[in-house]
Amino acid sequence: MYLRYSSLLALLLASGAASAATLSVGPGKTYTTPCRAFAAAKTGDLIEITGNTTYSGDVCAIYASRLTIRGVNGRPRIDAAGKNAQGKGTWVVVGNDIVIENVEMLGAKVPDANGAALRLEGTNFTLRSAFIHNNQNGILSGVKTASNILIEKSEFGYNGGGTGQTHNVYIGNVGRLTFRYNFSHDANVGHNLKSRARVNMIAYNRFSSTPAGQTGTTAAGKPSYEIDLPNAGTSYIIGNVIHQPSSHNNPNMVAYGAEGASNPGHELYVVNNTFLNDDSTRGNGVLVGSGVTKKIFLQNNLFAGTGTLTNQSGAIQKTNYRALAPGFVNRAAFDLRPTANPLVINAGSTPGISATGVSLKPTAVYKHSASSAVRPVVGALDIGAYESAL
């Protein structure tokens, strides 16, 4: 009986795999635009979009589930160009279990000023190796407490409509957000990352902005929070570079529970991050809202510049280091490996595990741009997001 059931299951799986199709998009391909391929796609299909090509005004909803949408032979450029789908943005992701890889998206703008390059309405979503910039919102998701969102190895820049209500990335009340190996910078008045998720794993990213008057991959922005977790939640901030530019819209770099700690978990673990504050008169690393019921946990963090590490009285603090100008290999170039300092090198304490059994030990480092490398620990952990150059 077991063998008969196993054979039937294998047959069904093979049949499903065989029925999945690859839909090719681009000049001279079966589908001239991504949206035409989305409309034809069936569950489980792969959509390959020819890169180094601009698809202008190609806006639509994606209804099929379990799609993989991938730029190939370069990165395709999806420019909303004044158009929108359903009054919501460029691509409205309605299907479940969608994966999008290697695309550039810009220009999302709608009349209510809340447009998004990617508007997430389905359950479960992955974005990988993308460049999302110059939209009212980069990503905007709704309430889906059963949904898990993974965003990795992607760049977000100069998203936000200038109202403070739109952001580089804005995740609603979902089950879990994993945000890792990303470069999120220069949000236009809004936040570089805002998440109402019940569980947040924010690890090995760079949150920063360009000095006023300069440009990088986007124009310079004046962000508010670098990371905003407005409803608390069980959250991990591990191994990140968190940089506040001299020109900004809020002196707090990370905010936790500031809009009311309505999520069920109130545990925040902030471990082995490097905070850089370029405001010479004020600054606060972690702002904690009054509704948070538990003391936050801060370990092995390096805070460079003026200000305080946190406003929470009684926060649990272990082997953190704060100085106006701790030594880095090349601060201007963001080579933030510490130079000789016995209060930083081998001065970290060994992180344990969270109350729910998650290891707090950093195992990687952010590598520019929007990538990662293994953290090469020799001896005890160094304080901050990087190990010593020595």
Side-chain angles (χ1 to χ4, degrees):
M1 183 69 170
Y2 175 76
L3 290 176
R4 192 178 306 165
Y5 173 79
S6 298
S7 299
L8 178 60
L9 180 61
L11 181 64
L12 289 172
L13 290 173
S15 175
S19 64
T22 298
L23 284 63
S24 296
V25 176
K29 302 294 185 181
T30 305
Y31 302 94
T32 56
T33 69
C35 285
R36 291 186 178 183
F38 300 158
K42 306 297 182 185
T43 300
D45 284 352
L46 168 64
I47 298 172
E48 294 189 331
I49 307 171
T50 300
N52 298 322
T53 302
T54 297
Y55 302 87
S56 185
D58 193 49
V59 301
C60 59
I62 302 171
Y63 289 101
S65 292
R66 298 210 317 273
L67 300 181
T68 297
I69 300 164
R70 177 183 300 150
V72 294
N73 299 319
R75 180 179 279 167
R77 194 170 195 256
I78 315 299
D79 185 350
K83 296 183 179 181
N84 69 79
Q86 303 178 356
K88 297 176 181 179
T90 305
W91 290 351
V92 181
V93 182
V94 182
N96 302 325
D97 302 298
I98 301 293
V99 177
I100 297 178
E101 300 177 338
N102 192 37
V103 298
E104 176 182 357
M105 302 185 72
L106 68 153
K109 185 177 181 181
V110 302
D112 71 3
N114 203 33
L118 291 165
R119 179 72 172 261
L120 309 184
E121 297 185 352
T123 301
N124 300 335
F125 175 78
T126 296
L127 180 71
R128 184 177 292 120
S129 302
F131 179 26
I132 311 294
H133 63 97
N134 292 86
N135 304 281
Q136 288 174 330
N137 287 286
I139 295 179
L140 176 61
S141 88
V143 176
K144 283 273 182 178
T145 56
S147 185
N148 295 319
I149 294 175
L150 168 63
I151 300 170
E152 63 181 5
K153 298 184 177 180
S154 295
E155 179 180 353
F156 302 87
Y158 207 74
N159 299 287
T163 64
Q165 304 301 311
T166 49
H167 314 283
N168 269 353
V169 180
Y170 187 179
I171 304 301
N173 190 212
V174 302
R176 182 184 179 94
L177 169 67
T178 300
F179 192 84
R180 63 190 182 194
Y181 322 138
N182 301 297
F183 178 33
S184 187
H185 61 96
D186 291 295
N188 183 23
V189 184
H191 309 317
N192 284 328
L193 171 63
K194 181 168 185 171
S195 173
R196 300 183 188 274
R198 296 187 172 200
V199 177
N200 296 281
M201 174 58 77
I202 301 167
Y204 319 120
N205 306 283
R206 174 175 156 184
F207 301 93
S208 69
S209 293
T210 309
Q214 297 184 20
T215 58
T217 50
T218 70
K222 292 176 62 176
S224 295
Y225 303 134
E226 308 305 320
I227 302 171
D228 183 23
L229 308 176
N231 302 129
T234 301
S235 300
Y236 307 87
I237 300 176
I238 300 175
N240 302 279
V241 174
I242 305 172
H243 166 233
Q244 178 164 255
S246 58
S247 182
H248 55 80
N249 280 282
N250 196 297
N252 299 289
M253 301 167 75
V254 175
Y256 182 73
E259 294 182 26
S262 56
N263 275 333
H266 289 185
E267 297 86 18
L268 174 62
Y269 302 91
V270 183
V271 179
N272 276 100
N273 301 281
T274 294
F275 289 83
L276 306 174
N277 182 24
D278 284 343
D279 186 323
S280 61
T281 61
R282 59 181 184 157
N284 181 37
V286 184
L287 170 71
V288 182
S290 61
V292 174
T293 58
K294 297 184 179 180
K295 301 303 181 184
I296 68 170
F297 183 85
L298 300 141
Q299 183 174 5
N300 296 345
N301 298 288
L302 191 158
F303 188 99
T306 301
T308 58
L309 190 52
T310 183
N311 70 314
Q312 189 188 54
S313 177
I316 301 169
Q317 302 191 46
K318 297 178 64 176
T319 54
N320 301 292
Y321 179 75
R322 188 171 72 84
L324 284 175
F328 298 114
V329 171
N330 189 334
R331 167 68 173 79
F334 278 83
D335 185 343
L336 301 176
R337 292 172 295 165
T339 54
N341 183 343
L343 298 178
V344 174
I345 296 173
N346 293 330
S349 52
T350 302
I353 60 173
S354 73
T356 55
V358 174
S359 173
L360 302 176
K361 183 179 180 180
T363 58
V365 294
Y366 172 83
K367 182 179 179 181
H368 204 60
S369 173
S371 186
S372 69
V374 173
R375 180 167 180 146
V377 178
V378 177
L381 271 173
D382 293 349
I383 291 174
Y386 294 91
E387 289 291 303
S388 168
L390 302 179

